[in-house]
């Protein structure tokens, strides 16, 4: 094989690879995006003060919480709103958590069940208290924005 023929073959291979990349990148990003959106949300969209709470504070203390109410989230399709009350002694801490139904598809949450809240650098992890398996991540808004899929031109 001569040098110009080899060069043409390499260029053709590179061109074919470049044409195939956008299709693979697009499908990979849509899978990652849909998987991430099913099990995570921003703190501002997911956590709120319950009607019994005196402040609109979105901060949550780590610890065990009992599910005291479960309902369809108002004005949010395919979303469950659960009201959680701290189990620890002291002033009553309550808040609501809006979770996409897809995040609860594998294992739902029942009234009276305990949920473990763990504070993480990125936000809060909500897990089933009996086995420690997380079912939802409430991410700080800046972290959540960074996870958004962005189209990249090659």
């Amino acid at each position: 094989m001569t040098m110009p023929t080899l060069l043409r073959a390499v260029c053709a291979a590179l061109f074919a690879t470049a044409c195939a990349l956008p299709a693979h990148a697009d499908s990979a990003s849509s899978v990652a995006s849909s998987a991430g959106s099913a099990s995570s949300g921003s703190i501002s969209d997911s956590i709120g003060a319950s009607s019994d709470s005196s402040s609109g504070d979105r901060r949550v203390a780590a610890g065990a919480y009992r599910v005291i109410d479960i309902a369809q989230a108002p004005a949010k399709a395919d979303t469950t709103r659960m009201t959680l009350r701290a189990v620890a002694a002291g002033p009553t801490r309550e808040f609501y958590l809006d979770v996409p139904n897809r995040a609860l598809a594998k294992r739902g949450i029942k009234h009276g069940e305990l949920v473990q809240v763990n504070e993480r650098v990125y936000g809060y992890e909500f897990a089933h208290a009996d086995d420690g398996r997380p079912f939802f991540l409430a991410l700080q808004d800046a972290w959540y924005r960074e996870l958004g899929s962005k189209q990249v031109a090659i």
Side-chain angles (χ1 to χ4, degrees), residues 37-40 45-46 71 73 76-82 84 96-104 109 126 135-137:
S37 65
S39 59
S40 66
D45 288 339
S46 303
K76 293 182 180 179
D78 299 321
T79 303
T80 296
R81 174 169 288 180
M82 57 184 84
L84 303 170
Y96 70 79
L97 176 66
D98 289 345
V99 179
N101 292 344
R102 293 181 301 174
L104 300 172
I109 296 285
F126 294 85
F135 62 87
F136 186 71
L137 303 175

Side-chain angles (χ1 to χ4, degrees), residues 21-37 147-152:
L21 278 177
H24 292 294
D26 186 42
S27 64
S29 67
S30 67
V31 168
S33 175
S34 65
S37 65
L147 288 179
S149 57
K150 297 172 181 82
Q151 191 169 18
V152 178

Side-chain angles (χ1 to χ4, degrees), residues 40-43 120-123 138-148 150:
S40 66
S42 70
I43 288 174
R120 304 290 187 216
V121 68
Y122 50 77
L139 305 173
Q140 292 176 14
D141 292 351
W143 283 69
Y144 188 73
R145 281 191 299 273
E146 290 297 317
L147 288 179
K150 297 172 181 82

